[in-house]
Amino acid sequence: MKKIKLAFTFLAVSIFFTLKSSNSYAEGESLWTETKDGRKIHIMFFKGKEKEQKNFPVILCHGLGAQGRYWYFDDDLSWPKKLNDEGFDVFVPDLRGVGKTDGPYDFSFEDYIYDVEAILEKVLQIEGVNKTHWVGHSMGGMVIYLSVSRKPEIQKKLKSFTSISSPYTIWAPFELWKVTKNSYEKLSQFFKKADSIPFSAFSYSLSIFGDILYPILKITKLIHLENFVWNLDNVPRDVRKKTMRYATGPVSTRVIEKFTKVGLGYEDFNFSLEKFKVPSLFIVGTKDYLATPPTVKLAYSKVSSENKKFILAGIGEGFQTDYGHVDITASKLATEEILSIVLNFIEKNDSNKNEKTSDEKYDKGDYDKKYSANDMSVKVSKNKSEEEKTKEERTKEDQKNEEVITNFKKYYSRKSKYSFVLIQDFGIDGKVWETFEDKLKSKKISYMYPEKTLSYNDVLKAVEEFCISFTSDLNIGVFHGFSGVVAMNLTRGCFDAVFLISTPFSDISSFYKLYIQTGGKISEKMLEKIFGEKSKELVSRFESPADKLMILPELWSPISNQIFYIISTGNRAVYWWNIAEFAKFSEQFGVKYSYTIFSYVNLQDELSHIEMINGEKASKYTIKYILDQIASLKK
């Protein structure tokens, strides 16, 4: 058996190196530089069109498990080519251990600082300038987090910085986290025995034999691992195969070990970006399950630059698709949308003047007309009809909204042992509970729900009405979306158990809708409308809302001692990694909690925000889960 394995490995590696060598690099000039610790680093140089020549060059840095060719493995998807067309000189390095830079692999994550220093020095020397633009994908952005954290003076060499799917920390998927933590001792032994993981050889072989092995991969469910790397809807299989063949690289086990320890919470990267003042753009896809949006948003919040932007790339935010970790750069749609945004940002910061770019400049141009709603630092353009409203008309409209009385639909069953209050997300019609109605009525369970939920007060009224009207053996609260955030700040309740469905707990999504509606300006009036008397405690905390969008622990008052959290990886507004925040709050207040994740890993399916409570999927997954849980509860 061992001989068969060795033969297969030898064959795969032989094919890899034979075929790989037959594919030359795209047109460009090979350059070399040497680091302070003696490593020779390869850099590919692509000359921009002279008639469009820009002031400063662009460095494109690849991520972990990739090499420089990641940026130009396909002519149609080539970032250097498109940047060259706009007049930018482009430099694409191979970090140590990959591509033409190659091994050895006896280095740690911290050693990438040497690479960054050498690359910057070489590029600036060739160009005869004192600054450059840096665009990093995944770890290609993290090496800048690392470098400026240890050596803040490095930022003086950066004209702008773009982070694409570059996390500030690692939040491992919970399904994988359990497996990894249980197996960590075995992993530790592996890290000690091997110096590298031949990821490029493996991925190259898989690209060739993958079609043959597909039935086996499907049976073993390994095929679903692709969902963690790509949004498969965005990239045809032939492009994915091409990426595996030409864009990947070996991985140092010492670097992987560091990422694993951070993901498990044993260590931290110890980044420090508080003094980073370079114009910065942070982009992450809504379906990125490796560099999760909250971890990228965390980097954005740490940077002290007055000129910084955060963009969440997904359908719900105005894009053509929901982007994953790799397809956010390596896909046709990415070269149309993401590259255009990056180019726009770089061009606006390419001036050789020392003056700062004002916020007003960013409010102009086609970019902001199309993407203003998802750019978290730009004021959202107001509708023309709204601008024409007189102050008196707006006042009358506000008064009318305050006079809205929440109506409830109720159903009593004389044989009911359970009573439910169902409260939907803000702005959603109560008809969304029709699927729940069908199931609850068939089981003779009492319930009620509001026909509309528009504010904090509507949720409060619904809870009070339920607690007055229903007295069953078990009283159950089911809160959907933002209503769950409000519920966790109520002071009273009569619940034996509470189910939170797609309730946001992370700093990116807790006030997501509110943030967009107000263009990043959460006014005292808006806070008062949502939180009532508690708004006075919140006003001072929201002077700088971009850094403080979160549920505040000191104001959190759970209305039940047993809470169940239900979330799906398919939800564009809220993500499964909110569990970390949910667990933290629950443990802090001594609440008994449980959670479930609807994902490809455990269901081979995903649910959107509405599908979580309405339709066939809600019936199959959400309602079944809730009924199974309450059946096991004891008063």
Side-chain angles (χ1 to χ4, degrees):
M1 190 67 183
K2 287 184 177 179
K3 291 182 178 180
I4 294 174
K5 288 182 178 178
L6 287 171
F8 179 79
T9 302
F10 176 76
L11 176 63
V13 173
S14 299
I15 293 173
F16 166 68
F17 284 109
T18 301
L19 295 180
K20 184 178 179 182
S21 62
S22 66
N23 288 280
S24 61
Y25 281 90
E27 291 184 9
E29 179 184 351
S30 280
L31 306 173
W32 293 89
T33 186
E34 188 169 342
T35 66
K36 291 180 180 178
D37 65 340
R39 298 266 181 164
K40 289 189 176 181
I41 304 296
H42 174 257
I43 305 173
M44 205 68 177
F45 170 55
F46 299 89
K47 182 69 177 175
K49 292 183 178 179
E50 293 185 5
K51 63 177 181 179
E52 299 287 346
Q53 197 69 40
K54 296 298 192 294
N55 294 308
F56 299 95
V58 176
I59 295 173
L60 298 175
C61 189
H62 63 83
L64 185 65
Q67 59 172 295
R69 197 173 182 186
Y70 172 86
W71 295 100
Y72 55 91
F73 68 91
D74 185 289
D75 285 344
D76 292 334
L77 308 180
S78 172
W79 281 52
K81 183 178 179 181
K82 294 185 184 299
L83 287 166
N84 284 164
D85 289 344
E86 299 299 323
F88 285 101
D89 285 351
V90 178
F91 295 82
V92 185
D94 288 325
L95 297 177
R96 60 182 61 202
V98 301
K100 288 191 174 181
T101 298
D102 217 348
Y105 302 96
D106 57 340
F107 57 86
S108 67
F109 179 66
E110 294 279 336
D111 291 326
Y112 284 123
I113 295 175
Y114 296 121
D115 296 18
V116 171
E117 286 183 308
I119 292 165
L120 287 172
E121 184 177 348
K122 184 70 174 180
V123 170
L124 298 184
Q125 178 188 1
I126 290 174
E127 293 287 302
V129 294
N130 61 352
K131 291 179 184 290
T132 181
H133 303 285
W134 185 288
V135 179
H137 173 253
S138 194
M139 195 186 73
M142 294 174 71
V143 295
I144 293 297
Y145 301 164
L146 169 70
S147 300
V148 299
S149 296
R150 306 295 183 268
K151 298 185 176 182
E153 65 274 13
I154 286 177
Q155 68 178 296
K156 294 179 181 179
K157 298 179 180 181
L158 299 177
K159 188 63 178 174
S160 76
F161 169 60
T162 298
S163 157
I164 305 175
S165 303
S166 302
Y168 188 84
T169 187
I170 305 298
W171 289 0
F174 271 68
E175 297 93 336
L176 298 180
W177 181 84
K178 291 175 184 176
V179 174
T180 306
K181 192 165 188 177
N182 293 337
S183 311
Y184 184 70
E185 291 305 319
K186 293 181 180 179
L187 278 173
S188 296
Q189 294 302 317
F190 170 74
F191 290 145
K192 293 175 183 176
K193 292 179 180 178
D195 64 347
S196 66
I197 299 173
F199 179 64
S200 48
F202 171 76
S203 63
Y204 196 98
S205 301
L206 190 61
S207 71
I208 297 173
F209 301 111
D211 292 332
I212 301 173
L213 299 174
Y214 185 80
I216 298 174
L217 296 174
K218 191 172 183 180
I219 292 172
T220 59
K221 298 183 180 180
L222 289 174
I223 195 70
H224 295 297
L225 290 176
E226 265 197 302
N227 290 286
F228 285 113
V229 182
W230 307 84
N231 178 352
L232 301 181
D233 295 336
N234 295 340
V235 189
R237 177 151 175 74
D238 63 325
V239 173
R240 301 202 303 274
K241 287 165 67 175
K242 201 170 184 179
T243 308
M244 288 190 287
R245 289 185 187 184
Y246 308 122
T248 57
V251 181
S252 164
T253 52
R254 291 176 63 181
V255 175
I256 285 289
E257 184 176 22
K258 177 67 175 182
F259 276 62
T260 303
K261 286 182 177 179
V262 173
L264 293 173
Y266 296 148
E267 292 185 6
D268 197 356
F269 287 121
N270 294 315
F271 294 143
S272 178
L273 300 179
E274 284 73 16
K275 295 182 179 180
F276 189 69
K277 296 184 178 181
V278 175
S280 301
L281 171 65
F282 297 84
I283 308 176
V284 64
T286 55
K287 281 198 173 182
D288 193 327
Y289 303 148
L290 293 181
T292 58
T295 63
V296 178
K297 176 71 182 297
L298 187 58
Y300 160 80
S301 68
K302 295 288 185 180
V303 170
S304 61
S305 173
E306 294 179 7
N307 178 2
K308 64 177 182 177
K309 303 162 78 68
F310 176 83
I311 293 176
L312 188 61
I315 293 174
E317 289 70 39
F319 288 79
Q320 295 181 59
T321 188
D322 293 312
Y323 286 98
H325 189 69
V326 176
D327 52 278
I328 198 166
T329 53
S331 67
K332 189 174 185 300
L333 283 174
T335 57
E336 294 174 4
E337 292 190 304
I338 306 301
L339 177 54
S340 296
I341 293 172
V342 174
L343 178 61
N344 182 285
F345 180 78
I346 291 174
E347 286 181 331
K348 287 180 177 177
N349 289 282
D350 193 57
S351 170
N352 53 18
K353 296 180 181 179
N354 292 323
E355 62 184 15
K356 294 181 180 179
T357 307
S358 66
D359 286 340
E360 286 74 18
K361 279 188 178 181
Y362 284 92
D363 287 334
K364 299 176 182 179
D366 293 337
Y367 162 75
D368 293 304
K369 289 178 182 177
K370 185 174 182 181
Y371 296 112
S372 60
N374 68 81
D375 180 347
M376 305 306 253
S377 66
V378 178
K379 189 174 182 180
V380 176
S381 300
K382 290 186 177 181
N383 187 292
K384 191 173 182 180
S385 61
E386 287 183 325
E387 293 177 351
E388 293 172 352
K389 285 183 180 178
T390 63
K391 185 176 181 180
E392 184 179 351
E393 287 175 329
R394 287 198 297 270
T395 302
K396 288 180 179 180
E397 187 174 301
D398 290 339
Q399 290 175 346
K400 184 178 179 181
N401 288 335
E402 290 172 3
E403 293 170 359
V404 172
I405 299 175
T406 303
N407 295 315
F408 304 105
K409 182 168 183 180
K410 302 178 183 179
Y411 172 79
Y412 294 92
S413 173
R414 295 175 65 182
K415 296 183 179 181
S416 175
K417 292 183 179 180
Y418 311 133
S419 291
F420 281 77
V421 62
L422 311 169
I423 305 182
Q424 66 271 23
D425 201 355
F426 283 15
I428 297 177
D429 194 281
K431 291 180 180 179
V432 77
W433 295 113
E434 288 176 349
T435 306
F436 266 75
E437 280 192 281
D438 293 340
K439 285 289 183 181
L440 299 185
K441 278 185 179 179
S442 66
K443 294 184 177 295
K444 299 178 180 178
I445 295 174
S446 300
Y447 63 86
M448 65 163 279
Y449 60 79
E451 292 185 359
K452 290 285 185 184
T453 49
L454 300 174
S455 70
Y456 174 98
N457 287 329
D458 290 334
V459 178
L460 178 62
K461 289 175 186 176
V463 171
E464 289 184 341
E465 181 71 19
F466 175 75
C467 292
I468 293 170
S469 306
F470 290 81
T471 53
S472 298
D473 291 345
L474 286 174
N475 284 348
I476 311 296
V478 178
F479 298 90
H480 174 239
F482 193 70
S483 72
V485 176
V486 178
M488 292 300 98
N489 286 281
L490 296 178
T491 55
R492 65 158 297 189
C494 57
F495 302 106
D496 297 291
V498 165
F499 289 85
L500 304 178
I501 303 176
S502 299
T503 292
F505 275 85
S506 73
D507 62 348
I508 187 177
S509 53
S510 292
F511 290 86
Y512 183 74
K513 294 179 183 176
L514 183 62
Y515 196 84
I516 289 179
Q517 289 168 0
T518 60
K521 305 294 182 182
I522 301 180
S523 66
E524 185 173 345
K525 184 176 181 181
M526 180 66 77
L527 287 170
E528 186 176 356
K529 184 175 181 181
I530 298 294
F531 290 100
E533 293 183 0
K534 283 193 175 182
S535 64
K536 296 176 182 177
E537 301 174 67
L538 293 170
V539 171
S540 61
R541 296 295 298 273
F542 283 91
E543 291 175 355
S544 178
D547 297 335
K548 301 178 181 178
L549 296 185
M550 62 187 74
I551 298 173
L552 307 178
E554 65 269 28
L555 299 179
W556 201 64
S557 52
I559 54 178
S560 173
N561 62 2
Q562 184 141 343
I563 299 177
F564 297 88
Y565 193 37
I566 310 173
I567 202 160
S568 171
T569 56
N571 192 337
R572 296 186 192 112
V574 188
Y575 311 92
W576 48 263
W577 45 85
N578 285 290
I579 289 173
E581 294 298 312
F582 163 70
K584 180 176 70 176
F585 290 126
S586 299
E587 290 169 358
Q588 181 177 345
F589 288 91
V591 178
K592 185 178 179 181
Y593 68 91
S594 180
Y595 66 84
T596 187
I597 307 166
F598 297 159
S599 70
Y600 278 110
V601 174
N602 59 3
L603 298 179
Q604 288 75 61
D605 204 350
E606 293 181 318
L607 284 70
S608 68
H609 196 56
I610 299 299
E611 285 176 334
M612 291 290 283
I613 61 173
N614 185 266
E616 185 178 340
K617 289 185 178 181
S619 178
K620 184 178 180 181
Y621 301 120
T622 311
I623 300 175
K624 183 181 184 302
Y625 173 79
I626 292 175
L627 294 178
D628 286 347
Q629 295 303 317
I630 65 171
S632 64
L633 293 176
K634 293 182 179 180
K635 179 99 175 186

